[in-house]
Amino acid sequence: MPKQKAYYIIDFDSTFTQVEALDELARISLKNHPDKEAIFQKIEDYTNLAMEGKLSFSESLAQRVKLLEASEDHLKQLIKHLKKKVSTSFSRNAEFFKKHADEVLIVSGGFKEFITPVVSQYHIKKENIYANTFVTTGDGKIIDYDHANPLSEEGGKVKLLQHLKLEGELFGIGDGYSDFQLRESGMINKFFAFTENIARESIVSKADHVTPSFDEFLYVNNLPRAISYPKNRILCLVVGNVDPLTVSILKNDGLSIRQKTSFEEKYIKDVGILILADGEKIDKEQLKNAVKLKTIGYLGSARNKLDFDLCTKQGIVVFDDPKNNPRNIDFIPKRVADFMNTGATYLSSNFPNLQLPKIDKSHRLIHIHKNVPGIMAKINTVFAKHDINIVSQFLMTNPEIGYAITDINTEYDKQLFKSLKKIENTIKFRVLY
């Protein structure tokens, strides 16, 4: 039986972009208004009440447009702003939209005037953009919207999909009540609550799946994606009294953060990244059992606080600050994030120093092994057997280990990974993106 065609119904505000566009338009149009803060608050309240299903969408929309006092000039400023505010995980997966241009639909209670210029950059077809339209006066003032458009009404997304009669498997991705209504009405097969920008508990609790990033959505549906394993699935454990900036840098990078006062037993087997406050210690037994641990960021000098040799043997990259420089407050989290994103071990305390640019349209594979002769030959024999085309390859060693990064531009199967992991003296192997 042939596979059903899939359609991806994607919301715009707080999903495709990080912000609510009408709220942002208000900040532009009311910039010099004496009561701007009170009006901003009213507009945001109307937005949230509708998103949580506590006020009809049509009532919320009418009230917000009335308060805007916006013009076409304000719209131009908004579009420029929104282009910089596309959600990070959407922008890094631009290639997906290019490949699936026929199946991606933007369905929004927002307005085409600002949505179309933003999403068109991502190869989304104009005929696949469904949204409201403004009514303007001859001199460009926004005075109303088209009330005949179903998307301006309560349950508008449901009415639109009933009209479109799409046949196939329909996935909905959004952050609000109008997105969940599609699932509730049976118009889509699965609803994914998108929480990269905002998590509304009333919506999250009803979702088929919570997706903290678009990478997560692509991963669970086995679709092509920019990074192989979503960062929100990597547990980053922060232990001790750590500066909020450190946590903020790692959180903004999309990692799943847990903050604890000690390295609790229940996290040892699952932790992927460990951030330790100055003075914290980690014993050999904990290190040996931390089988998924890829890197440790120590906020100070880690000498005598953890076993560097054991970390190296386990394939764990350590970044610390031996001089304990208070001005280097963002040094460790940035190095840790860079290692997770590009494989760079630059300025690490125990690994060969390797710093590489990210190569577009390629997959990056990392192989950590004991420094014994002949390993690179074995790695490349595996690539040759699987007909893999190597774009670039880098190897750095120290007396203990070899750290190899290979960029390939061909599709691969999981058998390739198994073969690379089976090479004798392999310590760790992972796909970066």
Side-chain angles (χ1 to χ4, degrees), residues 274-283 287 296-309 311 317-325 332 348-350:
L274 188 58
I275 304 295
L276 296 169
D278 194 18
E280 295 292 332
K281 288 186 177 181
I282 174 165
D283 64 45
L287 273 177
I296 296 173
Y298 197 94
L299 303 173
S301 173
R303 190 176 294 280
N304 304 322
K305 306 292 194 319
L306 54 90
D307 189 320
F308 278 70
D309 288 340
C311 285
V317 180
V318 179
F319 296 95
D320 77 333
D321 184 12
K323 292 180 181 171
N324 222 337
N325 188 343
I332 299 296
S348 82
S349 314
N350 66 325

Side-chain angles (χ1 to χ4, degrees), residues 8-17 19-20 51 87 90 105-110 115 119 130 157 171-179 182 191-192 194 200:
Y8 309 99
I9 318 294
I10 302 174
D11 180 41
F12 183 75
D13 293 292
S14 295
T15 298
F16 200 95
T17 56
V19 292
E20 290 287 327
M51 288 296 108
S87 297
F90 276 95
L105 279 68
I106 299 294
V107 177
S108 169
I115 293 174
V119 302
Y130 297 91
K157 291 188 180 183
F171 299 97
I173 307 161
D175 65 289
Y177 182 66
S178 62
D179 305 301
L182 290 173
F191 168 57
F192 291 78
F194 187 79
R200 305 180 199 277

Side-chain angles (χ1 to χ4, degrees), residues 45-84:
D45 289 346
Y46 282 129
T47 299
N48 287 322
L49 287 168
M51 288 296 108
E52 290 163 13
K54 293 173 182 171
L55 181 71
S56 81
F57 183 79
S58 52
E59 178 65 16
S60 163
L61 187 64
Q63 294 296 343
R64 283 182 287 163
V65 171
K66 209 181 282 180
L67 290 164
L68 277 175
E69 295 184 25
S71 69
E72 286 174 350
D73 281 343
H74 296 135
L75 270 179
K76 284 176 190 168
Q77 292 175 55
L78 174 69
I79 290 160
K80 201 174 172 184
H81 176 61
L82 291 179
K83 283 181 176 179
K84 295 174 189 166

